[in-house]
Amino acid sequence: MTGQSQRANDAWEALLTAHATLMKRFAAEDIWADVSMREYDVLYTLSKCAGPLRLSELNRYVLLSQPALSRLVDRLAERGLIERCADPADGRGVRLSLTEAGRAVQRDIGRQHARDVARAMTAELNPAELAQLEALCRKLAGLPAVPTAADDITKVLIP
């Protein structure tokens, strides 16, 4: 393996290790009583979108197989946290969005989770390092260098 290939693989492993370490830390926080982290991920993703998403679109943003996501969506819908509505562009299709209850759960957990994330990140990284990490991650994800307040993930990630 060349030096650049080795460095790329070392960087990849470091990124995955950091992600796994932080996710375990966040999972241990006492904020997940109402929903699991995976359920929260779906609620958060829907909260970042300007409008309802098809299941296949939602699946682009979560680390779940389509069947597992479909079952999770069924559970969230049964609990009244998301709703299904007919897709006006395709009568057979269904679009998913948050209900008011789902939005409230996402906000409540999101506030606590955001504090936990900030605490974990600022404990290890200074402001310049945080900015550099954000820039590098956005670059790897193919996102614009600078996020805007009006960012809608579907405009960035769904062609």
Side-chain angles (χ1 to χ4, degrees):
M1 192 177 298
T2 67
Q4 186 166 343
S5 292
Q6 184 64 49
R7 181 165 298 244
N9 280 277
D10 290 347
W12 174 248
E13 288 179 25
L15 179 62
L16 290 178
T17 300
H19 178 265
T21 300
L22 289 169
M23 291 304 290
K24 286 177 187 174
R25 178 177 175 171
F26 300 144
E29 296 291 342
D30 190 26
I31 63 171
W32 308 107
D34 294 331
V35 296
S36 70
M37 285 183 74
R38 289 180 190 246
E39 290 170 329
Y40 175 78
D41 188 26
V42 169
L43 297 178
Y44 176 76
T45 300
L46 289 171
S47 78
K48 298 293 283 182
C49 297
L53 293 181
R54 293 180 68 108
L55 186 66
S56 59
E57 294 169 332
L58 179 60
N59 197 36
R60 294 178 187 176
Y61 308 112
V62 297
L63 295 174
L64 292 171
S65 67
Q66 182 102 10
L69 177 60
S70 183
R71 289 189 300 274
L72 189 145
V73 163
D74 288 343
R75 289 192 303 271
L76 291 171
E78 287 170 11
R79 290 166 48 199
L81 300 177
I82 63 172
E83 62 186 352
R84 295 179 175 98
C85 58
D87 184 344
D90 176 2
R92 299 168 297 153
V94 173
R95 293 197 167 269
L96 307 167
S97 61
L98 291 177
T99 62
E100 285 305 313
R103 194 168 302 285
V105 167
Q106 186 280 316
R107 281 189 201 127
D108 289 345
I109 292 174
R111 277 192 291 273
Q112 296 171 70
H113 184 49
R115 284 191 294 269
D116 294 339
V117 169
R119 192 177 307 118
M121 298 295 282
T122 59
E124 301 298 330
L125 302 174
N126 65 41
E129 290 168 329
L130 287 169
Q132 183 180 26
L133 177 62
E134 180 185 10
L136 291 171
C137 289
R138 292 182 71 81
K139 185 174 185 176
L140 285 171
L143 297 173
V146 179
T148 66
D151 274 354
D152 171 3
I153 62 172
T154 59
K155 292 178 185 169
V156 176
L157 298 177
I158 297 178

Short mmCIF file of all heavy atoms in Angstrom, two decimals, residues 53-113:
data_model
loop_
_atom_site.label_atom_id
_atom_site.label_comp_id
_atom_site.label_asym_id
_atom_site.label_seq_id
_atom_site.Cartn_x
_atom_site.Cartn_y
_atom_site.Cartn_z
N LEU A 53 -41.37 13.17 2.84
CA LEU A 53 -40.46 12.35 2.06
C LEU A 53 -41.08 10.99 1.76
O LEU A 53 -41.83 10.46 2.58
CB LEU A 53 -39.17 12.07 2.84
CG LEU A 53 -38.21 13.19 3.14
CD1 LEU A 53 -37.00 12.66 3.89
CD2 LEU A 53 -37.77 13.88 1.86
N ARG A 54 -40.71 10.44 0.63
CA ARG A 54 -41.03 9.04 0.35
C ARG A 54 -40.08 8.18 1.18
O ARG A 54 -39.00 8.63 1.56
CB ARG A 54 -40.85 8.75 -1.13
CG ARG A 54 -41.85 9.46 -2.01
CD ARG A 54 -41.62 9.12 -3.47
NE ARG A 54 -41.94 7.74 -3.71
CZ ARG A 54 -43.01 7.31 -4.38
NH1 ARG A 54 -43.86 8.18 -4.87
NH2 ARG A 54 -43.23 6.03 -4.55
N LEU A 55 -40.48 6.95 1.46
CA LEU A 55 -39.66 6.04 2.25
C LEU A 55 -38.29 5.86 1.60
O LEU A 55 -37.26 5.86 2.28
CB LEU A 55 -40.36 4.70 2.43
CG LEU A 55 -39.67 3.71 3.35
CD1 LEU A 55 -39.67 4.22 4.78
CD2 LEU A 55 -40.35 2.35 3.28
N SER A 56 -38.25 5.74 0.30
CA SER A 56 -36.97 5.56 -0.40
C SER A 56 -36.06 6.77 -0.24
O SER A 56 -34.84 6.64 -0.16
CB SER A 56 -37.19 5.26 -1.88
OG SER A 56 -37.90 6.33 -2.50
N GLU A 57 -36.64 7.98 -0.18
CA GLU A 57 -35.85 9.18 0.05
C GLU A 57 -35.32 9.20 1.49
O GLU A 57 -34.15 9.49 1.73
CB GLU A 57 -36.69 10.44 -0.21
CG GLU A 57 -37.09 10.61 -1.65
CD GLU A 57 -38.14 11.70 -1.84
OE1 GLU A 57 -38.93 11.96 -0.92
OE2 GLU A 57 -38.16 12.27 -2.94
N LEU A 58 -36.17 8.89 2.43
CA LEU A 58 -35.77 8.83 3.83
C LEU A 58 -34.64 7.83 4.03
O LEU A 58 -33.70 8.07 4.79
CB LEU A 58 -36.98 8.48 4.70
CG LEU A 58 -36.76 8.34 6.19
CD1 LEU A 58 -36.25 9.65 6.79
CD2 LEU A 58 -38.06 7.91 6.87
N ASN A 59 -34.72 6.73 3.31
CA ASN A 59 -33.72 5.67 3.45
C ASN A 59 -32.31 6.12 3.05
O ASN A 59 -31.33 5.55 3.49
CB ASN A 59 -34.13 4.45 2.62
CG ASN A 59 -33.39 3.21 3.03
OD1 ASN A 59 -33.10 3.00 4.19
ND2 ASN A 59 -33.08 2.37 2.06
N ARG A 60 -32.20 7.18 2.27
CA ARG A 60 -30.88 7.69 1.87
C ARG A 60 -30.14 8.33 3.04
O ARG A 60 -28.93 8.53 2.97
CB ARG A 60 -31.03 8.73 0.77
CG ARG A 60 -31.55 8.15 -0.52
CD ARG A 60 -31.73 9.21 -1.56
NE ARG A 60 -32.39 8.65 -2.73
CZ ARG A 60 -32.74 9.36 -3.77
NH1 ARG A 60 -32.50 10.64 -3.80
NH2 ARG A 60 -33.34 8.79 -4.79
N TYR A 61 -30.85 8.68 4.10
CA TYR A 61 -30.24 9.43 5.21
C TYR A 61 -30.03 8.62 6.47
O TYR A 61 -29.45 9.14 7.42
CB TYR A 61 -31.12 10.63 5.56
CG TYR A 61 -31.46 11.47 4.38
CD1 TYR A 61 -32.75 11.53 3.90
CD2 TYR A 61 -30.47 12.17 3.70
CE1 TYR A 61 -33.07 12.29 2.79
CE2 TYR A 61 -30.78 12.93 2.59
CZ TYR A 61 -32.08 12.98 2.15
OH TYR A 61 -32.37 13.73 1.04
N VAL A 62 -30.53 7.42 6.53
CA VAL A 62 -30.41 6.62 7.74
C VAL A 62 -29.64 5.34 7.46
O VAL A 62 -29.62 4.86 6.33
CB VAL A 62 -31.80 6.30 8.35
CG1 VAL A 62 -32.51 7.57 8.78
CG2 VAL A 62 -32.67 5.52 7.39
N LEU A 63 -29.01 4.80 8.48
CA LEU A 63 -28.22 3.59 8.33
C LEU A 63 -29.05 2.36 8.67
O LEU A 63 -28.75 1.61 9.59
CB LEU A 63 -26.97 3.65 9.23
CG LEU A 63 -25.96 4.72 8.86
CD1 LEU A 63 -24.85 4.78 9.89
CD2 LEU A 63 -25.40 4.48 7.47
N LEU A 64 -30.12 2.18 7.92
CA LEU A 64 -31.00 1.03 8.09
C LEU A 64 -31.33 0.47 6.72
O LEU A 64 -31.38 1.21 5.73
CB LEU A 64 -32.31 1.45 8.75
CG LEU A 64 -32.28 1.91 10.20
CD1 LEU A 64 -33.63 2.48 10.61
CD2 LEU A 64 -31.91 0.75 11.11
N SER A 65 -31.59 -0.84 6.67
CA SER A 65 -32.05 -1.42 5.42
C SER A 65 -33.48 -0.93 5.16
O SER A 65 -34.18 -0.49 6.08
CB SER A 65 -32.04 -2.95 5.51
OG SER A 65 -33.01 -3.38 6.46
N GLN A 66 -33.92 -1.01 3.93
CA GLN A 66 -35.28 -0.57 3.60
C GLN A 66 -36.33 -1.34 4.41
O GLN A 66 -37.24 -0.71 4.97
CB GLN A 66 -35.53 -0.71 2.09
CG GLN A 66 -36.89 -0.22 1.66
CD GLN A 66 -36.86 1.14 1.00
OE1 GLN A 66 -35.81 1.66 0.69
NE2 GLN A 66 -38.03 1.72 0.81
N PRO A 67 -36.22 -2.68 4.55
CA PRO A 67 -37.22 -3.38 5.35
C PRO A 67 -37.21 -2.95 6.83
O PRO A 67 -38.27 -2.78 7.43
CB PRO A 67 -36.84 -4.86 5.21
CG PRO A 67 -36.06 -4.93 3.93
CD PRO A 67 -35.34 -3.62 3.83
N ALA A 68 -36.02 -2.76 7.40
CA ALA A 68 -35.94 -2.34 8.80
C ALA A 68 -36.51 -0.93 8.96
O ALA A 68 -37.22 -0.65 9.94
CB ALA A 68 -34.49 -2.38 9.28
N LEU A 69 -36.24 -0.05 8.02
CA LEU A 69 -36.78 1.30 8.07
C LEU A 69 -38.30 1.27 7.95
O LEU A 69 -39.00 1.99 8.66
CB LEU A 69 -36.17 2.18 6.98
CG LEU A 69 -36.72 3.60 6.90
CD1 LEU A 69 -36.49 4.35 8.21
CD2 LEU A 69 -36.09 4.34 5.73
N SER A 70 -38.80 0.43 7.08
CA SER A 70 -40.25 0.32 6.90
C SER A 70 -40.92 -0.12 8.20
O SER A 70 -41.96 0.45 8.60
CB SER A 70 -40.54 -0.68 5.78
OG SER A 70 -41.92 -0.76 5.55
N ARG A 71 -40.35 -1.09 8.90
CA ARG A 71 -40.91 -1.53 10.18
C ARG A 71 -40.82 -0.42 11.23
O ARG A 71 -41.76 -0.21 12.00
CB ARG A 71 -40.19 -2.80 10.67
CG ARG A 71 -40.52 -4.04 9.86
CD ARG A 71 -39.97 -5.30 10.49
NE ARG A 71 -38.52 -5.30 10.64
CZ ARG A 71 -37.66 -5.68 9.71
NH1 ARG A 71 -38.09 -6.09 8.52
NH2 ARG A 71 -36.35 -5.66 9.94
N LEU A 72 -39.71 0.30 11.25
CA LEU A 72 -39.54 1.40 12.20
C LEU A 72 -40.57 2.50 11.92
O LEU A 72 -41.18 3.03 12.85
CB LEU A 72 -38.11 1.94 12.11
CG LEU A 72 -37.72 2.95 13.18
CD1 LEU A 72 -36.25 2.77 13.54
CD2 LEU A 72 -37.95 4.35 12.71
N VAL A 73 -40.78 2.82 10.66
CA VAL A 73 -41.78 3.83 10.28
C VAL A 73 -43.17 3.37 10.71
O VAL A 73 -43.97 4.17 11.23
CB VAL A 73 -41.71 4.10 8.76
CG1 VAL A 73 -42.97 4.79 8.26
CG2 VAL A 73 -40.47 4.94 8.44
N ASP A 74 -43.47 2.08 10.55
CA ASP A 74 -44.77 1.56 11.00
C ASP A 74 -44.95 1.79 12.49
O ASP A 74 -46.02 2.24 12.93
CB ASP A 74 -44.89 0.06 10.70
CG ASP A 74 -45.07 -0.26 9.23
OD1 ASP A 74 -45.42 0.65 8.45
OD2 ASP A 74 -44.86 -1.44 8.86
N ARG A 75 -43.90 1.51 13.28
CA ARG A 75 -43.99 1.70 14.74
C ARG A 75 -44.18 3.18 15.10
O ARG A 75 -44.98 3.52 15.96
CB ARG A 75 -42.74 1.15 15.43
CG ARG A 75 -42.66 -0.37 15.41
CD ARG A 75 -41.59 -0.90 16.34
NE ARG A 75 -40.26 -0.39 16.08
CZ ARG A 75 -39.37 -0.92 15.24
NH1 ARG A 75 -39.69 -2.01 14.55
NH2 ARG A 75 -38.18 -0.39 15.08
N LEU A 76 -43.44 4.06 14.43
CA LEU A 76 -43.57 5.49 14.70
C LEU A 76 -44.95 5.99 14.31
O LEU A 76 -45.52 6.84 14.99
CB LEU A 76 -42.47 6.27 13.98
CG LEU A 76 -41.05 6.07 14.50
CD1 LEU A 76 -40.04 6.73 13.58
CD2 LEU A 76 -40.91 6.59 15.92
N ALA A 77 -45.50 5.49 13.22
CA ALA A 77 -46.84 5.89 12.79
C ALA A 77 -47.89 5.38 13.78
O ALA A 77 -48.82 6.12 14.13
CB ALA A 77 -47.12 5.37 11.38
N GLU A 78 -47.74 4.15 14.25
CA GLU A 78 -48.68 3.60 15.23
C GLU A 78 -48.67 4.41 16.52
O GLU A 78 -49.70 4.54 17.18
CB GLU A 78 -48.32 2.14 15.55
CG GLU A 78 -48.66 1.17 14.44
CD GLU A 78 -48.07 -0.21 14.67
OE1 GLU A 78 -47.58 -0.50 15.79
OE2 GLU A 78 -48.12 -1.03 13.73
N ARG A 79 -47.54 4.98 16.86
CA ARG A 79 -47.42 5.79 18.08
C ARG A 79 -47.82 7.24 17.84
O ARG A 79 -47.76 8.06 18.75
CB ARG A 79 -45.98 5.71 18.60
CG ARG A 79 -45.69 4.31 19.15
CD ARG A 79 -44.25 4.02 19.40
NE ARG A 79 -43.52 5.04 20.12
CZ ARG A 79 -42.19 5.13 20.11
NH1 ARG A 79 -41.47 4.26 19.44
NH2 ARG A 79 -41.59 6.07 20.79
N GLY A 80 -48.18 7.58 16.61
CA GLY A 80 -48.65 8.92 16.31
C GLY A 80 -47.54 9.95 16.16
O GLY A 80 -47.80 11.15 16.25
N LEU A 81 -46.31 9.50 15.89
CA LEU A 81 -45.18 10.42 15.76
C LEU A 81 -44.92 10.84 14.33
O LEU A 81 -44.34 11.90 14.09
CB LEU A 81 -43.93 9.81 16.39
CG LEU A 81 -44.06 9.48 17.88
CD1 LEU A 81 -42.80 8.79 18.40
CD2 LEU A 81 -44.39 10.71 18.69
N ILE A 82 -45.30 10.00 13.37
CA ILE A 82 -45.22 10.38 11.96
C ILE A 82 -46.54 10.02 11.30
O ILE A 82 -47.30 9.19 11.80
CB ILE A 82 -44.05 9.71 11.22
CG1 ILE A 82 -44.19 8.20 11.19
CG2 ILE A 82 -42.71 10.10 11.80
CD1 ILE A 82 -43.16 7.53 10.30
N GLU A 83 -46.80 10.69 10.18
CA GLU A 83 -48.02 10.39 9.45
C GLU A 83 -47.68 10.11 8.00
O GLU A 83 -46.68 10.58 7.47
CB GLU A 83 -49.03 11.53 9.56
CG GLU A 83 -48.57 12.85 8.99
CD GLU A 83 -49.56 13.97 9.27
OE1 GLU A 83 -50.66 13.69 9.77
OE2 GLU A 83 -49.22 15.12 8.97
N ARG A 84 -48.54 9.32 7.41
CA ARG A 84 -48.43 9.00 6.00
C ARG A 84 -49.50 9.79 5.25
O ARG A 84 -50.63 9.88 5.70
CB ARG A 84 -48.66 7.51 5.78
CG ARG A 84 -47.63 6.62 6.40
CD ARG A 84 -48.01 5.16 6.10
NE ARG A 84 -47.01 4.25 6.57
CZ ARG A 84 -47.07 3.59 7.72
NH1 ARG A 84 -48.11 3.74 8.52
NH2 ARG A 84 -46.12 2.76 8.07
N CYS A 85 -49.11 10.32 4.11
CA CYS A 85 -50.10 10.99 3.26
C CYS A 85 -49.84 10.56 1.82
O CYS A 85 -48.73 10.17 1.46
CB CYS A 85 -50.02 12.51 3.41
SG CYS A 85 -48.42 13.21 3.01
N ALA A 86 -50.87 10.61 1.03
CA ALA A 86 -50.75 10.22 -0.37
C ALA A 86 -49.78 11.15 -1.09
O ALA A 86 -49.75 12.36 -0.81
CB ALA A 86 -52.12 10.26 -1.05
N ASP A 87 -49.03 10.58 -1.99
CA ASP A 87 -48.11 11.37 -2.80
C ASP A 87 -48.90 11.96 -3.96
O ASP A 87 -49.42 11.22 -4.80
CB ASP A 87 -46.98 10.46 -3.32
CG ASP A 87 -45.91 11.21 -4.08
OD1 ASP A 87 -46.15 12.36 -4.49
OD2 ASP A 87 -44.83 10.64 -4.27
N PRO A 88 -49.01 13.29 -4.03
CA PRO A 88 -49.80 13.89 -5.11
C PRO A 88 -49.24 13.61 -6.50
O PRO A 88 -49.98 13.62 -7.48
CB PRO A 88 -49.78 15.38 -4.80
CG PRO A 88 -48.68 15.59 -3.82
CD PRO A 88 -48.43 14.27 -3.14
N ALA A 89 -47.94 13.32 -6.58
CA ALA A 89 -47.32 13.04 -7.87
C ALA A 89 -47.49 11.58 -8.30
O ALA A 89 -47.30 11.26 -9.47
CB ALA A 89 -45.83 13.39 -7.83
N ASP A 90 -47.83 10.71 -7.35
CA ASP A 90 -47.96 9.28 -7.63
C ASP A 90 -48.99 8.72 -6.66
O ASP A 90 -48.69 8.51 -5.48
CB ASP A 90 -46.60 8.60 -7.45
CG ASP A 90 -46.66 7.09 -7.63
OD1 ASP A 90 -47.74 6.55 -7.94
OD2 ASP A 90 -45.62 6.44 -7.47
N GLY A 91 -50.19 8.47 -7.14
CA GLY A 91 -51.28 8.01 -6.29
C GLY A 91 -50.97 6.75 -5.51
O GLY A 91 -51.58 6.49 -4.47
N ARG A 92 -50.04 5.94 -6.00
CA ARG A 92 -49.68 4.71 -5.29
C ARG A 92 -48.67 4.98 -4.19
O ARG A 92 -48.52 4.19 -3.28
CB ARG A 92 -49.07 3.69 -6.27
CG ARG A 92 -50.02 3.28 -7.38
CD ARG A 92 -49.28 2.51 -8.45
NE ARG A 92 -48.28 3.40 -9.05
CZ ARG A 92 -47.15 3.00 -9.61
NH1 ARG A 92 -46.86 1.74 -9.69
NH2 ARG A 92 -46.30 3.88 -10.11
N GLY A 93 -47.97 6.09 -4.29
CA GLY A 93 -46.91 6.40 -3.33
C GLY A 93 -47.41 7.05 -2.06
O GLY A 93 -48.52 7.60 -2.02
N VAL A 94 -46.58 6.98 -1.05
CA VAL A 94 -46.89 7.56 0.25
C VAL A 94 -45.73 8.45 0.66
O VAL A 94 -44.56 8.13 0.42
CB VAL A 94 -47.10 6.45 1.30
CG1 VAL A 94 -47.26 7.03 2.69
CG2 VAL A 94 -48.30 5.59 0.94
N ARG A 95 -46.05 9.57 1.27
CA ARG A 95 -45.03 10.46 1.81
C ARG A 95 -45.16 10.49 3.32
O ARG A 95 -46.24 10.34 3.87
CB ARG A 95 -45.17 11.86 1.22
CG ARG A 95 -44.84 11.87 -0.28
CD ARG A 95 -44.57 13.28 -0.77
NE ARG A 95 -43.97 13.24 -2.07
CZ ARG A 95 -42.66 13.20 -2.30
NH1 ARG A 95 -41.81 13.19 -1.31
NH2 ARG A 95 -42.18 13.19 -3.53
N LEU A 96 -44.03 10.70 3.98
CA LEU A 96 -43.96 10.67 5.43
C LEU A 96 -43.60 12.05 5.97
O LEU A 96 -42.75 12.74 5.40
CB LEU A 96 -42.89 9.67 5.89
CG LEU A 96 -42.99 8.27 5.32
CD1 LEU A 96 -41.73 7.49 5.59
CD2 LEU A 96 -44.21 7.57 5.89
N SER A 97 -44.23 12.41 7.06
CA SER A 97 -43.90 13.67 7.73
C SER A 97 -44.15 13.51 9.22
O SER A 97 -44.81 12.58 9.66
CB SER A 97 -44.72 14.82 7.16
OG SER A 97 -46.10 14.59 7.36
N LEU A 98 -43.60 14.44 9.99
CA LEU A 98 -43.80 14.45 11.43
C LEU A 98 -45.21 14.94 11.77
O LEU A 98 -45.71 15.85 11.13
CB LEU A 98 -42.80 15.38 12.11
CG LEU A 98 -41.34 14.97 12.11
CD1 LEU A 98 -40.50 16.07 12.78
CD2 LEU A 98 -41.14 13.65 12.83
N THR A 99 -45.78 14.34 12.80
CA THR A 99 -47.00 14.89 13.38
C THR A 99 -46.56 15.95 14.39
O THR A 99 -45.36 16.08 14.68
CB THR A 99 -47.80 13.81 14.11
OG1 THR A 99 -47.00 13.30 15.18
CG2 THR A 99 -48.21 12.68 13.17
N GLU A 100 -47.50 16.68 14.95
CA GLU A 100 -47.14 17.64 15.99
C GLU A 100 -46.51 16.93 17.18
O GLU A 100 -45.55 17.42 17.77
CB GLU A 100 -48.35 18.46 16.41
CG GLU A 100 -48.74 19.52 15.39
CD GLU A 100 -47.58 20.46 15.04
OE1 GLU A 100 -46.90 20.96 15.95
OE2 GLU A 100 -47.36 20.68 13.83
N ALA A 101 -47.05 15.75 17.53
CA ALA A 101 -46.47 14.97 18.63
C ALA A 101 -45.05 14.53 18.29
O ALA A 101 -44.14 14.59 19.13
CB ALA A 101 -47.34 13.76 18.95
N GLY A 102 -44.82 14.11 17.05
CA GLY A 102 -43.49 13.71 16.62
C GLY A 102 -42.52 14.87 16.64
O GLY A 102 -41.36 14.73 17.06
N ARG A 103 -42.99 16.03 16.21
CA ARG A 103 -42.15 17.23 16.24
C ARG A 103 -41.79 17.60 17.68
O ARG A 103 -40.66 17.96 17.97
CB ARG A 103 -42.87 18.38 15.53
CG ARG A 103 -41.98 19.56 15.21
CD ARG A 103 -42.64 20.54 14.26
NE ARG A 103 -43.06 19.97 12.99
CZ ARG A 103 -42.25 19.65 11.99
NH1 ARG A 103 -40.96 19.84 12.11
NH2 ARG A 103 -42.72 19.15 10.86
N ALA A 104 -42.74 17.47 18.58
CA ALA A 104 -42.48 17.79 20.00
C ALA A 104 -41.47 16.82 20.60
O ALA A 104 -40.54 17.24 21.30
CB ALA A 104 -43.78 17.75 20.79
N VAL A 105 -41.61 15.52 20.32
CA VAL A 105 -40.65 14.53 20.83
C VAL A 105 -39.27 14.82 20.25
O VAL A 105 -38.27 14.81 20.98
CB VAL A 105 -41.10 13.09 20.48
CG1 VAL A 105 -39.99 12.08 20.72
CG2 VAL A 105 -42.34 12.72 21.29
N GLN A 106 -39.20 15.10 18.95
CA GLN A 106 -37.90 15.38 18.32
C GLN A 106 -37.26 16.60 18.96
O GLN A 106 -36.08 16.59 19.26
CB GLN A 106 -38.08 15.57 16.81
CG GLN A 106 -36.78 15.72 16.05
CD GLN A 106 -36.19 17.11 16.11
OE1 GLN A 106 -36.88 18.10 15.97
NE2 GLN A 106 -34.89 17.18 16.33
N ARG A 107 -38.02 17.64 19.19
CA ARG A 107 -37.46 18.86 19.79
C ARG A 107 -36.98 18.62 21.22
O ARG A 107 -35.90 19.07 21.60
CB ARG A 107 -38.51 19.98 19.80
CG ARG A 107 -38.65 20.66 18.47
CD ARG A 107 -39.55 21.90 18.64
NE ARG A 107 -40.08 22.27 17.36
CZ ARG A 107 -41.37 22.45 17.09
NH1 ARG A 107 -42.28 22.31 18.02
NH2 ARG A 107 -41.75 22.79 15.87
N ASP A 108 -37.79 17.92 22.01
CA ASP A 108 -37.42 17.68 23.41
C ASP A 108 -36.13 16.87 23.50
O ASP A 108 -35.21 17.23 24.24
CB ASP A 108 -38.54 16.95 24.15
CG ASP A 108 -39.75 17.83 24.40
OD1 ASP A 108 -39.63 19.07 24.28
OD2 ASP A 108 -40.82 17.28 24.73
N ILE A 109 -36.08 15.78 22.78
CA ILE A 109 -34.87 14.95 22.80
C ILE A 109 -33.73 15.67 22.11
O ILE A 109 -32.59 15.63 22.56
CB ILE A 109 -35.13 13.57 22.16
CG1 ILE A 109 -36.10 12.79 23.04
CG2 ILE A 109 -33.83 12.80 21.97
CD1 ILE A 109 -36.57 11.49 22.46
N GLY A 110 -34.04 16.37 21.03
CA GLY A 110 -33.02 17.09 20.28
C GLY A 110 -32.28 18.13 21.10
O GLY A 110 -31.06 18.27 21.00
N ARG A 111 -33.01 18.85 21.93
CA ARG A 111 -32.36 19.85 22.79
C ARG A 111 -31.36 19.18 23.74
O ARG A 111 -30.24 19.65 23.91
CB ARG A 111 -33.41 20.63 23.59
CG ARG A 111 -34.05 21.76 22.84
CD ARG A 111 -34.85 22.66 23.76
NE ARG A 111 -36.05 22.01 24.26
CZ ARG A 111 -37.23 21.99 23.64
NH1 ARG A 111 -37.34 22.61 22.48
NH2 ARG A 111 -38.26 21.40 24.16
N GLN A 112 -31.78 18.09 24.36
CA GLN A 112 -30.90 17.39 25.28
C GLN A 112 -29.71 16.78 24.54
O GLN A 112 -28.57 16.85 25.01
CB GLN A 112 -31.68 16.29 26.01
CG GLN A 112 -32.79 16.82 26.89
CD GLN A 112 -33.66 15.69 27.40
OE1 GLN A 112 -33.19 14.91 28.22
NE2 GLN A 112 -34.88 15.60 26.90
N HIS A 113 -30.00 16.17 23.39
CA HIS A 113 -28.93 15.53 22.61
C HIS A 113 -27.94 16.57 22.11
O HIS A 113 -26.72 16.34 22.14
CB HIS A 113 -29.55 14.76 21.44
CG HIS A 113 -28.57 14.00 20.62
ND1 HIS A 113 -27.62 13.15 21.15
CD2 HIS A 113 -28.38 13.97 19.28
CE1 HIS A 113 -26.90 12.63 20.18
NE2 HIS A 113 -27.34 13.12 19.03
#
